[in-house]
């Protein structure tokens, strides 16, 4: 097998890239996969090399062949200048914020943001003299009115991972860039396969690799990709922070990358099938899924995304808390738990009433989020059907 030439590499279509990116034969000794390199110390041949650090790998916190394989593959997928890794998705968000902000700065964060990102801003960034205010996720170019002279970053998350609002990222990026602010996107729902972050104006794109990249609910990982303008600063920040993920987790993420498109396409197919089925249920007030034409963000989703993943929500018609619990507690295939993007289906009740500060959360009934896995769709429907019967029995 000949080495991939730069010319062939540049011409590869996406599925071929997912199979081939990051596979450096120099490191794998002919084996198909780059192994998990575990290590702190890297040995140098002589004093001169040690002093100049003029070799590819210098210390465990500064990258290994395994982390480099994943970073380089991810950069090509995301259309980024470079990618850094962190030990969790939340850690990756923190790395992006630490890259863009300093004491005295102001941060704008979408009201639909992943709750732990909000907690970090309110409880940690505040202590370091960085003020955060929240904005309506559907604000688009209207964000201009909220920009202050010291606004240095705008954090977006599209769609929001509970409430699924789609944001007009290009419009926000145009305003933010005109004001000299960094645009950060939590792109976990779409992944670079369904939303190309940097082509839409994002400076730092975060992915919780814990979700679809892993695909098996068995690891925690975060990635931040940066465009030409921001990658140097991102790289410096991660070196200062020195928070590398574990070698085995990076190895498993690379393995997940090879099948990510297949799994995402299936998640999309299953998700849509279940969303349509739920739309017709008498117990359901509304299905919240960006790929459904009645979703308020559907036109934006259609303009900017190339697919939908398997994460969406429903609003139940008003029913008691006991009714919701009866619906969820007896589910046999849907697990009850946080995180998502694994091969197994999950359901989780949520309520954003207490967390929102810029918008009002009033969906009209109890809300439940689903992550659709790889089980047979008819079995999943039957599981939910039995759940709805339990819910009705509590009325
Ligand atoms: C899960 C999640 C994260 C955080 O990932 P962890 O690896 O669990 O820290 C960040 N953003 C979104 C949208 C998520 O769903």
């Amino acid at each position: 097998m000949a080495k991939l030439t730069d010319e062939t590499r540049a011409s590869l279509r996406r599925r071929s890239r997912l199979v081939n990116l990051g596979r450096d034969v120099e490191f794998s000794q002919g084996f198909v996969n780059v192994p998990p390199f575990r290590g702190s110390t890297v040995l140098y041949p002589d004093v001169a090399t040690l002093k100049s650090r003029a070799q590819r790998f210098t210390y465990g916190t500064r990258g290994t062949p395994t982390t480099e394989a994943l970073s380089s593959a991810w950069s090509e997928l995301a259309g980024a200048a470079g990618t850094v890794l962190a030990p969790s998705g939340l850690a990756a968000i923190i790395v992006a914020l630490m890259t863009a902000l300093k004491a005295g700065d102001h941060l704008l964060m979408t009201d639909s943001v992943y709750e732990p990102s909000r907690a970090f801003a309110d409880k940690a960034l505040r202590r370091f003299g960085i003020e955060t205010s929240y904005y309506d996720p559907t604000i688009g170019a209207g964000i201009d009115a909220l920009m202050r002279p010291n606004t240095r970053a705008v954090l977006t998350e599209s769609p929001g991972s509970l409430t699924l609002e789609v944001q007009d990222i290009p419009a926000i990026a145009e305003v933010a860039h005109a004001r000299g602010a960094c645009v950060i996107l939590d792109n976990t729902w779409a992944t670079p396969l369904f939303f190309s972050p940097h082509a839409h104006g994002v400076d730092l794109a975060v992915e919780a690799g814990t979700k679809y990249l892993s695909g098996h609910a068995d690891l925690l990982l975060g990635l931040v990709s940066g465009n030409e303008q921001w990658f140097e600063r991102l790289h410096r920040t991660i070196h200062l922070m020195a928070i590398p993920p574990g070698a085995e987790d990076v190895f498993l993420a690379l393995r997940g990358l090879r099948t990510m498109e297949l799994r995402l396409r299936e998640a999309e197919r299953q998700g849509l099938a279940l969303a349509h089925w739920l739309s017709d249920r008498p117990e359901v007030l509304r299905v919240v899924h960006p790929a459904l034409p009645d979703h308020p963000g559907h036109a934006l989703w259609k303009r900017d995304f190339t697919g939908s993943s398997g994460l969406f929500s429903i609003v139940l018609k008003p029913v008691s808390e006991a009714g919701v619990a009866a619906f969820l507690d007896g589910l046999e295939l849907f697990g009850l738990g946080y995180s998502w993007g694994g091969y197994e289906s999950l359901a989780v009740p949520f309520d954003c009433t207490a967390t929102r500060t810029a918008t009002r959360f009033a969906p009209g009934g109890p809300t439940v989020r689903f992550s659709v896995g790889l089980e047979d769709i008819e079995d999943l429907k039957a599981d939910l059907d039995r759940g709805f019967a339990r819910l009705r029995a509590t009325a």
Side-chain angles (χ1 to χ4, degrees):
M1 190 181 180
K3 197 170 165 6
L4 210 58
T5 64
D6 288 345
E7 198 184 359
T8 307
R9 173 187 295 271
S11 75
L12 288 180
R13 289 160 188 84
R14 197 159 72 190
R15 287 181 62 162
S16 311
R17 286 180 176 199
L18 282 166
V19 169
N20 286 286
L21 293 180
R23 283 175 50 198
D24 193 331
V25 285
E26 187 193 330
F27 298 130
S28 57
Q29 301 281 323
F31 285 90
V32 171
N33 296 325
V34 177
F37 275 80
R38 305 178 58 87
S40 50
T41 301
V42 179
L43 302 175
Y44 296 81
D46 50 48
V47 173
T49 314
L50 181 138
K51 284 193 169 166
S52 65
R53 296 195 147 228
Q55 63 183 27
R56 190 156 168 199
F57 298 103
T58 55
Y59 188 65
T61 55
R62 299 224 158 185
T64 68
T66 320
T67 62
E68 199 157 289
L70 180 60
S71 301
S72 64
W74 194 262
S75 295
E76 285 205 39
L77 280 185
T83 298
V84 303
L85 306 181
S88 72
L90 182 59
I93 290 163
I94 292 168
V95 166
L97 292 169
M98 301 289 264
T99 299
L101 296 164
K102 62 179 187 316
D105 286 351
H106 170 239
L107 162 68
L108 277 168
M109 202 176 246
T110 176
D111 212 23
S112 53
V113 76
Y114 176 66
E115 204 278 329
S117 301
R118 181 188 284 264
F120 182 77
D122 293 345
K123 294 175 184 152
L125 288 181
R126 179 191 296 272
R127 285 199 286 116
F128 295 97
I130 295 161
E131 191 189 346
T132 303
S133 55
Y134 295 88
Y135 64 89
D136 180 337
T138 64
I139 198 167
I143 200 160
D144 199 41
L146 303 181
M147 301 286 297
R148 305 178 190 170
N150 63 335
T151 305
R152 289 275 76 88
V154 178
L155 192 137
T156 60
E157 179 179 319
S158 180
S161 66
L162 287 171
T163 43
L164 288 308
E165 295 92 338
V166 181
Q167 296 197 256
D168 191 341
I169 302 293
I172 290 173
E174 195 180 329
V175 170
H177 290 156
R179 303 270 199 152
C182 176
V183 178
I184 302 170
L185 167 68
D186 185 333
N187 196 30
T188 302
W189 183 88
T191 84
L193 296 183
F194 287 165
F195 182 83
S196 191
H198 304 296
H200 286 91
V202 171
D203 297 304
L204 298 172
V206 173
E207 182 77 22
T210 307
K211 313 292 165 60
Y212 282 117
L213 178 56
S214 151
H216 295 75
D218 54 4
L219 64 89
L220 292 157
L221 190 78
L223 306 93
V224 192
S225 60
N227 62 10
E228 285 293 346
Q229 203 188 334
W230 280 90
F231 180 64
E232 264 312 308
R233 277 173 274 189
L234 173 64
H235 197 237
R236 274 203 300 275
T237 305
I238 197 82
H239 276 183
L240 292 170
M241 291 176 74
I243 47 166
E248 303 286 339
D249 291 338
V250 179
F251 172 78
L252 287 173
L254 256 175
R255 169 194 276 224
L257 184 75
R258 309 304 174 196
T259 57
M260 189 164 79
E261 167 139 4
L262 292 177
R263 289 183 288 101
L264 264 179
R265 287 284 167 210
E266 189 59 14
E268 172 173 52
R269 216 173 58 84
Q270 299 256 93
L272 282 169
L274 201 69
H276 284 299
W277 180 80
L278 284 162
S279 301
D280 292 335
R281 290 294 310 200
E283 301 85 354
V284 174
L285 183 66
R286 204 154 20 93
V287 175
V288 187
H289 190 308
L292 295 191
D294 68 350
H295 187 279
H298 181 68
L300 275 180
W301 172 80
K302 220 169 161 174
R303 186 191 73 184
D304 293 344
F305 291 69
T306 55
S308 59
S309 64
L311 189 81
F312 67 95
S313 297
I314 59 169
V315 182
L316 291 165
K317 286 184 185 160
V319 60
S320 67
E321 253 179 60
V324 179
F327 172 56
L328 295 172
D329 282 344
L331 293 175
E332 296 167 89
L333 296 179
F334 283 87
L336 184 67
Y338 291 104
S339 198
W340 45 278
Y343 59 84
E344 82 298 0
S345 292
L346 295 174
V348 73
F350 67 93
D351 180 0
C352 304
T353 313
T355 42
R356 296 260 170 147
T357 52
T359 52
R360 207 166 81 85
F361 181 75
T367 40
V368 176
R369 182 182 75 179
F370 294 107
S371 174
V372 183
L374 301 175
E375 303 89 342
D376 190 289
I377 193 74
E378 296 308 321
D379 292 332
L380 292 178
K381 289 178 192 168
D383 199 23
L384 294 181
D385 194 44
R386 292 188 292 269
F388 284 128
R390 288 190 301 273
L391 179 150
R392 288 194 305 273
T394 62

